[in-house]
Amino acid sequence: TYTATIETTEGDVTVELDAAANPVTVNNFVVLAHYGYYDGTDLFRTEAGSGIIQGGSPHTQSNTDPGPGYTIPDENLPFTSDDYDPGTLAMARTAMPDSASAQFFFLSNENGRYLGDPAQLGPSAGSYVVFGRTIEGLDVLEAIAALDDGTSAPSRQVTIEKVTITEA
């Protein structure tokens, strides 16, 4: 089993990674973290309403980042609204299937549940692979999401200082 401690300029968040359900996704995140891929990068997207906090883009610090040069397959689709609860860690991706690579997002509140609702998202509902749950630091995620400046960006820079993986 793996946990990831994400040290940010706003505080630490510890996440239990679900390697049993999503081994490819967890392995990808763990390997990138071990190589320091996320260290010194920004959480560039914050949405107070939906609770989305996105990061994982060392090249551009935005959702236009090309990633590490590969993509990973989607696992265990579809996810339901129940899967997108506060503290969720999921992979970001383009509109295309199997297009996740390094970017990820947290959900800091209940409003992210729409991501699993076909009535709201149609056929793309449940297509963001959930691979972790916050076990410490939900208050940090809530504070980061609250920094939304109204343009889905934080009002001040929020940086991931280091991601530490613990194996048990």
Side-chain angles (χ1 to χ4, degrees), residues 24-106:
V24 172
T25 305
V26 168
N27 183 64
N28 179 64
F29 184 84
V30 166
V31 168
L32 290 172
H34 277 309
Y35 279 100
Y37 189 85
Y38 299 115
D39 299 353
T41 63
D42 290 344
L43 293 172
F44 60 84
R45 178 180 175 199
T46 52
E47 294 183 3
S50 68
I52 292 174
I53 302 163
Q54 187 170 338
S57 304
H59 305 102
T60 65
Q61 305 296 348
S62 75
N63 65 354
T64 64
D65 197 280
Y70 61 84
T71 59
I72 58 174
D74 296 330
E75 296 180 281
N76 288 322
L77 298 182
F79 291 87
T80 70
S81 293
D82 290 339
D83 295 313
Y84 297 107
D85 58 343
T88 292
L89 176 62
M91 290 303 289
R93 59 164 182 68
T94 71
M96 299 300 298
D98 304 318
S99 61
S101 63
Q103 289 187 44
F104 60 86
F105 64 90
F106 286 102

Side-chain angles (χ1 to χ4, degrees), residues 125-160:
S127 61
Y128 297 96
V129 175
V130 173
F131 69 101
R133 302 270 177 226
T134 300
I135 55 175
E136 290 179 33
L138 184 57
D139 59 328
V140 173
L141 295 177
E142 292 167 344
I144 293 170
L147 293 173
D148 180 0
D149 69 1
T151 68
S152 297
S155 57
R156 64 176 175 258
Q157 187 175 22
V158 180
T159 303
I160 296 172

